[in-house]
């Protein structure tokens, strides 16, 4: 079996794309980024793809009569590159049923909160304002809801009293860059088993207790 072929969809900075490219280069992620698609021609992620010698396409939704027509173009490109997993990495367009049904359980997303808390946008600010003591990030499969699909992996980070949105975002992003490549590797190794809406990892055993109380060490 060949390496898992990824199509990465981006709209912005592309630090998650970068993490995936870097892990592949280091030999820690056995997959290949075949194509990067951006809906935004000014996304810095495009530079990152070019720097990694990865083909890039921009699909500007404005130039299509409907969202579905734009998605058809995206799907056409993904098909051309024989993509086995669609990786949403800061892609700011909601996908319709039309797209999602073409890639059943083959679209992943990363979200900067512990779902189902704080779905949607501006969630780091919302978590901070809400006063939660932990937040984090979630990799999940896409279903037809907004941030509702089966959860693959989550990482928590503490919220500190002196956090700003920026410091908290940085702590979350550092964890995103760790867990997204792990989720992709598990998919590549066929280790993700879906039962109902729960995702189990074949052969995984808990070995260590992690601290889960914050604040602690009082
Ligand atoms: C990340 O916070 C991710 O959780 C969210 O969009 C952001 C993308 O950041 N979906 P980047 O473009 O990968 O730097």
């Amino acid at each position: 079996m060949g390496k898992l072929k990824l199509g990465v969809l981006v709209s912005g900075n592309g630090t998650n794309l970068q993490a995936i490219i870097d892990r592949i280069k280091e030999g820690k992620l056995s997959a290949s980024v075949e194509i990067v698609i951006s809906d935004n021609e000014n996304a810095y992620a495009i530079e990152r793809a070019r720097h990694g010698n990865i083909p890039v396409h921009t699909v500007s939704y404005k130039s299509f009569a409907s969202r579905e027509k734009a998605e058809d173009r995206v799907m056409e490109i993904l098909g051309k590159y024989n993509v086995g997993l669609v990786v949403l990495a800061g892609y700011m367009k909601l996908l319709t049923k039309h797209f999602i049904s073409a890639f059943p359980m083959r679209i992943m997303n990363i979200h900067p909160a512990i779902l189902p808390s704080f779905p949607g946008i501006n969630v780091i600010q919302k978590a901070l304002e809400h006063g939660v003591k932990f937040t984090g990030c979630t990799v999940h499969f896409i279903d037809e809801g907004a941030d509702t699909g089966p959860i693959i992996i989550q990482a928590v980070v503490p919220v500190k009293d002196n956090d700003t949105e920026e410091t908290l975002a940085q702590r979350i992003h550092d964890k995103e860059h760790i867990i997204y490549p792990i989720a992709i590797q598990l998919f590549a190794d066929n280790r993700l088993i879906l039962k109902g809406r729960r995702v189990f990892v074949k052969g995984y055993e808990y070995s260590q207790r992690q601290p889960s109380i914050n604040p602690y060490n009082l």
Side-chain angles (χ1 to χ4, degrees):
M1 209 179 69
K3 267 192 192 158
L4 176 67
K5 295 182 177 184
L6 308 176
V8 183
L9 272 52
V10 296
S11 302
N13 190 353
T15 61
N16 280 286
L17 168 66
Q18 191 67 58
I20 292 164
I21 293 172
D22 291 347
R23 293 302 86 72
I24 291 172
K25 267 201 199 133
E26 294 160 6
K28 291 182 181 152
L29 172 56
S30 176
S32 64
V33 182
E34 295 290 313
I35 179 72
V36 169
I37 302 174
S38 175
D39 67 313
N40 164 17
E41 61 182 4
N42 298 315
Y44 187 65
I46 293 175
E47 293 303 311
R48 298 180 189 271
R50 291 214 174 105
H51 194 75
N53 289 319
I54 297 161
V56 197
H57 277 273
T58 301
V59 177
S60 168
Y61 280 46
K62 290 192 296 275
S63 7
F64 294 86
S66 66
R67 188 179 286 262
E68 284 80 3
K69 289 267 186 303
E71 289 182 343
D72 279 339
R73 176 69 187 130
V74 174
M75 285 191 271
E76 185 190 347
I77 300 165
L78 294 171
K80 186 174 146 207
Y81 287 89
N82 242 320
V83 161
L85 179 68
V86 180
V87 175
L88 306 183
Y91 195 55
M92 297 307 285
K93 291 279 186 271
L94 280 180
L95 300 175
T96 71
K97 193 178 172 176
H98 178 62
F99 188 110
I100 295 165
S101 57
F103 293 92
M105 291 303 136
R106 287 196 292 135
I107 313 171
M108 277 187 195
N109 183 42
I110 187 147
H111 182 79
I114 297 291
L115 291 170
S117 287
F118 306 112
I121 58 166
N122 298 329
V123 301
I124 298 175
Q125 185 195 344
K126 284 177 189 159
L128 198 55
E129 282 171 5
H130 192 91
V132 293
K133 295 296 180 193
F134 280 110
T135 183
C137 45
T138 304
V139 179
H140 63 97
F141 286 116
I142 288 285
D143 67 5
E144 282 163 30
D147 301 321
T148 56
I151 292 169
I152 299 164
I153 183 166
Q154 295 183 308
V156 288
V157 305
V159 179
K160 299 181 183 174
D161 286 353
N162 60 356
D163 265 333
T164 61
E165 201 184 325
E166 288 68 36
T167 59
L168 182 56
Q170 190 55 56
R171 194 171 308 121
I172 293 170
H173 290 150
D174 290 347
K175 284 281 194 283
E176 290 186 355
H177 303 155
I178 295 169
I179 68 171
Y180 217 175
I182 292 174
I184 295 167
Q185 184 67 61
L186 290 171
F187 182 92
D189 292 340
N190 250 317
R191 291 181 65 192
L192 298 177
I193 314 290
L194 185 70
K195 291 185 184 157
R197 54 162 293 118
R198 295 182 71 188
V199 179
F200 297 88
V201 176
K202 234 192 260 172
Y204 179 69
E205 280 175 35
Y206 287 87
S207 56
Q208 239 184 318
R209 286 189 62 147
Q210 302 287 338
S212 59
I213 300 171
N214 176 42
Y216 59 102
N217 290 340
L218 288 174

